[in-house]
Amino acid sequence: MIIEAANIYRVPTGSRKAVLLELVTDDGISGFGEAGVAYGAGGEAAGQMLREMVERFVLGRDPTTISAIWHDVYDGSFWIRGGGAISYAALSAIELALWDINGKRLDAPVYELLGGRLRDALPVYANGWWVGCDSPDDYAAAAAKIVARGFDALKFYPLAQTDAETVVRHPRRRGVDPAQIPQICARVAAVRETVGGDVDLMLDFGGGLATDQLLRICRRLEPLDILFIEEAVDPGSLAALAELAGKTGIPLAAGERAYGRPGFERLLASGALSVLQPDVCNTGGLLEARLIAGLAEQRNLRIAPHNYGSTLATAVTAQFGALIPNFMLFECFPDFDREPGYLPVLERPLEAQIENASIPLPAGPGLGVAILGDSIEPFRVAQCRAGSAGSGSGILRD
């Protein structure tokens, strides 16, 4: 069995544009992976990076040699060493598609190929419930509705402003208008008062504020029992992260913009984090994410995987959550299909199967989900085959 073809898709699905890779074997098995750059800039670049990597290192190979292919991509791509989102996201998509092929080949879920599941369902926290909110009363009313639907953990962005293009706009130029700080804190206080003490609250600051304003805000929020603050500082400012951790009692979390073990080693060395948030679709794939979880476990930290891609990314994250002992909970968008421009990617998304604030572990082979081929086909941006490197259709512009 060899990998004889690859297809790359860039699929608009609500507020995201998912970069998907399909690898096809000569006996007709297709495996899918996702490159975790479905938002922000870089999706087109990730598609081109995928095409180059697949043509150079993947086509014509035996798909059972996952580690060999991973290391050939890592060693041979040059810029991936010490690299960032685009190269690691492409590498992740390749590794995930290979696992999907092998699970289907052996008629087993990927987690069974990696030691077996540790749990049958995965607790989630709801994100996206706050869309359209501005005032503290808006946030309180929206929080009451999502909790009434059975969710007992919520995340939102109290610093953010509504943005037509990106849904939310994080602080820019390292600050917010000081006059906004009371409203920022009032949003959180209103949600806490509304949902009570039994609902976990997580805040995402987007890494946009300087330390002086962060300290002012955190001091006001400390009595509100926040589970963690995500990306409190710029991901590259590890000294600032450590300083903040030493001055607030609120646990800090990060990892969405860290790549591979080197990136997470640096985060862990700061000593500032209580929760680690690798994204399986942009940190090197399942094996790399599992090694990162092991590094966190050695430091007595839990994992709350970042997950903001298509519904395929959720299925990938579920495989990861099933495998690691220090899993905490992970991110989901329960109203994913209500986003303007939403396009379905999977036949039965896990988000549509949430019960008791948990996602069921998929029992099907491979990643356990079925792609809607007719839905994504119009958004294929490249196709290549073994023995014809360079003959693909290229990456199409939007």
Side-chain angles (χ1 to χ4, degrees), residues 77-93:
S77 297
F78 190 81
W79 296 110
I80 199 169
R81 290 184 178 272
I86 304 305
S87 54
Y88 266 99
L91 175 60
S92 301

Side-chain angles (χ1 to χ4, degrees), residues 96-284:
L96 295 168
L98 292 171
W99 280 117
D100 196 28
I101 286 172
N102 280 276
K104 291 171 179 174
R105 179 178 68 88
L106 298 170
D107 194 27
V110 169
Y111 55 76
E112 287 190 3
L113 308 185
L114 292 171
R117 67 189 186 277
L118 289 171
R119 49 191 62 84
D120 294 318
L122 302 154
V124 296
Y125 63 83
N127 201 344
W129 55 271
W130 40 263
V131 171
C133 293
D134 182 40
S135 71
D137 287 344
D138 292 340
Y139 279 90
K145 290 179 181 178
I146 194 71
V147 169
R149 290 164 57 183
F151 289 93
D152 56 9
L154 314 178
K155 189 174 84 175
F156 61 110
Y157 306 78
L159 310 183
Q161 299 179 20
T162 300
D163 185 271
E165 183 177 350
T166 62
V167 185
V168 295
R169 179 164 58 85
H170 294 296
R172 297 178 181 178
R173 299 180 181 175
R174 303 293 179 177
V176 295
D177 182 342
Q180 293 178 342
I181 291 178
Q183 184 184 49
I184 288 167
C185 298
R187 289 169 171 173
V188 185
V191 172
R192 172 55 76 202
E193 181 179 359
T194 298
V195 303
D198 293 333
V199 174
D200 287 324
L201 296 184
M202 290 143 281
L203 310 177
D204 189 335
F205 282 6
L209 284 189
T211 302
D212 63 316
Q213 289 191 325
L214 281 170
L215 288 172
R216 291 182 63 192
I217 292 170
C218 286
R219 285 172 185 145
R220 296 189 185 202
L221 297 181
E222 282 176 354
L224 300 179
D225 190 24
I226 304 303
L227 188 65
F228 61 72
I229 294 176
E230 176 177 332
E231 288 208 319
V233 305
D234 187 301
S237 302
L238 297 183
L241 187 67
E243 180 182 359
L244 181 64
K247 294 180 178 179
T248 182
I250 302 175
L252 303 181
E256 168 184 356
R257 288 183 276 193
Y259 312 106
R261 279 165 288 166
F264 282 88
E265 282 277 18
R266 290 189 286 271
L267 276 179
L268 291 166
S270 73
L273 295 180
S274 297
V275 178
L276 219 56
Q277 297 179 292
D279 187 318
V280 187
C281 293
N282 72 18
T283 198

